[in-house]
Amino acid sequence: MNLPSDNDFFGWVFLILHKYGAIFLHGAGVTLQLALVGTLIGCVIGLLVGVLRTLPIRKNANLFAKIGHGLLQFILAAYIEIFRGTPMIVQAMVVYFGSMQLFKMDMSPMFAGFFVVSINTGAYMAETVRGGIGSIDIGQTEGAKAIGMSHWQAMAYVVMPQTLRNILPQIGNNLIINIKDTSVLNVIQVTELYFSGNSAAGAFMRYFEVFFIICIIYFIMTFTCSRLLRWIEHKIDGSSYYSLVKSDMMADPTGHNPVHLGGEKI
Amino acid sequence: MSEIKSPILQVRHLSKSFGSHQVLKDIDFETYHGNVICIIGASGSGKSTLLRCINMLETPTSGQILFHGGDITEKGTNINTYRSKVGMVFQSFNLFNNMTVLENCMAGVTKVLKKDRKTAEETALKYLSKVGMAEYINAKPNQLSGGQKQRVAIARALAMEPEMLLFDEPTSALDPQMVGEVLEVMRELAEEGMTMVIVTHEMAFARDVSSHVVFMKDGVVAEEGEPSALFGNPKQESTKEFLARFRNQ
């Protein structure tokens, strides 16, 4: 095989792409899969834990309920603190090798990867959700309760939709962090993008060229996700215009509102 | 009506403390069908807390709130059902920001009263027309003026077809030119016989529209009676002082 000369940067890049392009794409696919699924499951965990952390307890609740509530809050707080407070790379090792040694569970590296990313994202999202719920004006809940909604109905129909919209940028942050940070899963032999890069670099002993390519692939993935999320935000916000619904049958009985024609621009 | 009227709502010896601060002291009053009761008084006199206690947004420290004779402060009462029958309009509107005007008025009808969407939409439109907001069904709350928001909030409460309505300073957060449109809607409701308890600083409205006025001072009912008597010939020194301040404005 004719190898490019030592300082032929583009020569090496093309050669590596030619030989390892498919493997890089596969690695990128694995990375995206881990990041997307991990963020999604993490969000579900985060929503659940975040909502449970804001669960009110009535002052006149019985002792059993109070103990249960306290225990639940302790477990949730412990989960958040432990998974936020230790590096994901270490968690990956502990989960992958620990499950084998302690429980004789032969987890695939991929499964361990999904597990670690999800549970990690969940811990961060739980705090984001808690903050998000706290940022919604108490009047929204009171408005819901005043028409007879239960706590859960008020949460589901009024508070959570607004919370989700508000924390969407943070969900985006987590997705982008996950795309990058799944690279640590190479320590448990998950064949994600960084792992594929390492194999290619090892084969040719060309670290700069390989990781230059890997760098660009990571950036394309994060940039695309970031733009997609912005687009979703705009979609959720909806139009900043509204059109008046004109009908003689709906004539204003109070006579206070001059009749507008067509849409009103805001 | 020829039958002996029994009150819709009775408040008995109601007290409320926040920590060591007692906001309401032994409040008693009752509301009959078709009554329009205005609660007036200086800021901090406990008016809003009283209204929030009636809707159980605040839990009373002691006393009873009887709705058709049943004590709603008792354990095991279904507060949500009670609240669906007693509407509330807030000073800060509290419209659901994630919903359009129409959805705001339909939410309670579908989720709480469990009616189908078509019925809910018809009900919502009926009451939105009543408050003159039917044209705005596609708008989001943050696209409306304060007066418009409050009229939608009234329509949302009316869509539940409640037995009575509570108003917590409904015009206090409005620009002066928008107060009129909200009061006009409330005046119409009163004329139609809606039972209402209104906490307000609008003395002219209280005098002209209410059937009964309650003046509160320092957490107690200082004076109450027919509006003509209370405004025309107040008996308590504190009432006179309070009303004099409004006349001077």
Side-chain angles (χ1 to χ4, degrees):
Chain A
M1 191 159 72
N2 281 339
L3 291 180
S5 70
D6 244 11
N7 26 9
D8 182 6
F9 176 76
F10 288 106
W12 277 107
V13 165
F14 285 121
L15 178 75
I16 291 162
L17 274 179
H18 178 68
K19 293 271 179 207
Y20 277 85
I23 289 172
F24 290 168
L25 275 184
H26 176 259
V30 171
T31 291
L32 262 187
Q33 210 181 328
L34 279 165
L36 284 172
V37 174
T39 307
L40 200 74
I41 299 176
C43 281
V44 174
I45 296 173
L47 280 176
L48 217 72
V49 175
V51 169
L52 287 175
R53 291 256 283 170
T54 58
L55 203 65
I57 177 108
R58 264 172 296 168
K59 277 197 201 104
N60 56 0
N62 63 36
L63 189 68
F64 186 70
K66 274 182 181 163
I67 291 174
H69 185 262
L71 196 67
L72 178 73
Q73 294 306 325
F74 175 79
I75 292 170
L76 297 178
Y79 157 63
I80 291 169
E81 294 302 341
I82 289 169
F83 281 91
R84 262 195 337 179
T86 53
M88 197 156 85
I89 192 166
V90 178
Q91 289 168 19
M93 299 295 260
V94 169
V95 167
Y96 183 58
F97 293 106
S99 63
M100 216 180 293
Q101 200 169 317
L102 289 180
F103 306 111
K104 306 277 173 258
M105 258 171 80
D106 193 12
M107 262 187 203
S108 72
M110 209 45 191
F111 182 84
F114 281 126
F115 182 81
V116 168
V117 176
S118 305
I119 208 101
N120 219 283
T121 310
Y124 280 97
M125 282 308 298
E127 286 298 90
T128 305
V129 169
R130 191 169 66 90
I133 292 172
S135 74
I136 304 296
D137 180 25
I138 185 78
Q140 294 288 311
T141 314
E142 290 190 345
K145 286 188 173 169
I147 55 171
M149 283 194 192
S150 65
H151 176 76
W152 292 108
Q153 283 180 318
M155 274 285 168
Y157 302 122
V158 179
V159 177
M160 286 321 287
Q162 295 181 51
T163 302
L164 273 176
R165 166 61 191 90
N166 289 353
I167 66 172
L168 207 56
Q170 192 53 39
I171 294 177
N173 260 350
N174 268 309
L175 177 60
I176 285 168
I177 288 173
N178 280 342
I179 290 176
K180 298 184 298 173
D181 284 8
T182 44
S183 57
V184 304
L185 296 174
N186 78 85
V187 296
I188 54 169
Q189 318 300 314
V190 175
T191 55
E192 41 68 53
L193 185 54
Y194 174 85
F195 188 90
S196 332
N198 239 353
S199 336
F204 292 107
M205 298 310 278
R206 302 299 301 188
Y207 282 89
F208 172 53
E209 286 85 355
V210 165
F211 282 103
F212 184 78
I213 296 168
I214 298 295
C215 192
I216 288 173
I217 300 177
Y218 269 118
F219 183 74
I220 291 171
M221 288 197 288
T222 54
F223 190 70
T224 311
C225 285
S226 132
R227 291 291 121 169
L228 262 174
L229 281 156
R230 286 299 289 278
W231 180 77
I232 293 172
E233 274 178 45
H234 282 297
K235 273 275 164 210
I236 291 180
D237 287 345
S239 162
S240 54
Y241 302 90
Y242 65 91
S243 48
L244 293 174
V245 178
K246 275 283 299 145
S247 163
D248 289 339
M249 288 167 68
M250 290 176 190
D252 176 12
T254 64
H256 282 299
N257 301 287
V259 173
H260 301 276
L261 290 172
E264 191 178 53
K265 203 174 171 181
I266 292 295
Chain B
M1 273 185 278
S2 55
E3 79 230 59
I4 303 161
K5 280 175 46 171
S6 59
I8 297 182
L9 185 87
Q10 288 169 284
V11 174
R12 293 259 170 275
H13 306 297
L14 186 80
S15 295
K16 171 71 185 173
S17 303
F18 292 105
S20 61
H21 178 50
Q22 196 172 6
V23 185
L24 296 176
K25 298 161 194 161
D26 201 25
I27 304 277
D28 277 284
F29 85 93
E30 41 195 48
T31 311
Y32 289 87
H33 181 77
N35 276 173
V36 176
I37 298 184
C38 280
I39 305 175
I40 60 171
S43 298
S45 58
K47 312 181 296 290
S48 287
T49 308
L50 171 58
L51 210 65
R52 291 170 61 82
C53 279
I54 293 177
N55 206 17
M56 293 297 279
L57 286 174
E58 304 288 352
T59 314
T61 311
S62 64
Q64 293 177 307
I65 297 165
L66 306 174
F67 184 66
H68 291 300
D71 187 358
I72 57 149
T73 60
E74 247 171 51
K75 258 189 189 175
T77 315
N78 190 335
I79 294 297
N80 299 331
T81 311
Y82 163 72
R83 282 183 181 141
S84 71
K85 293 175 184 166
V86 178
M88 179 132 178
V89 175
F90 299 86
Q91 179 177 351
S92 50
F93 327 118
N94 296 350
L95 291 176
F96 308 137
N97 293 328
N98 56 322
M99 301 182 193
T100 63
V101 164
L102 184 65
E103 288 163 348
N104 260 281
C105 296
M106 288 172 62
V109 186
T110 52
K111 310 297 184 208
V112 179
L113 302 180
K114 310 280 183 203
K115 301 233 175 103
D116 61 275
R117 284 192 66 83
K118 193 167 168 289
T119 315
E121 196 172 325
E122 280 166 8
T123 315
L125 278 173
K126 176 177 158 193
Y127 290 105
L128 281 167
S129 308
K130 191 178 187 64
V131 300
M133 287 300 292
E135 289 185 354
Y136 295 86
I137 48 174
N138 296 324
K140 286 279 185 78
N142 61 13
Q143 295 169 322
L144 301 176
S145 73
Q148 291 174 327
K149 280 186 208 173
Q150 197 57 297
R151 285 187 284 144
V152 173
I154 293 174
R156 179 176 71 181
L158 287 172
M160 301 296 289
E161 308 201 309
E163 289 182 44
M164 62 184 289
L165 279 179
L166 310 172
F167 290 83
D168 186 9
E169 303 197 28
T171 58
S172 296
L174 299 179
D175 290 338
Q177 69 267 29
M178 288 168 186
V179 171
E181 62 187 59
V182 172
L183 290 184
E184 193 54 44
V185 168
M186 291 167 64
R187 189 187 297 265
E188 251 178 62
L189 290 174
E191 280 164 11
E192 287 167 17
M194 187 72 195
T195 312
M196 302 196 277
V197 179
I198 305 165
V199 168
T200 186
H201 288 293
E202 297 292 332
M203 292 305 143
F205 177 83
R207 188 188 59 217
D208 299 343
V209 179
S210 65
S211 54
H212 195 84
V213 182
V214 175
F215 170 64
M216 283 184 65
K217 188 177 192 314
D218 301 329
V220 296
V221 174
E223 187 169 351
E224 59 177 315
E226 304 245 323
S228 55
L230 194 129
F231 285 102
N233 185 21
K235 296 193 172 52
Q236 302 290 328
E237 217 35 61
S238 55
T239 319
K240 283 180 197 165
E241 263 173 48
F242 176 75
L243 292 174
R245 243 181 297 149
F246 269 92
R247 284 204 191 93
N248 293 341
Q249 276 175 6

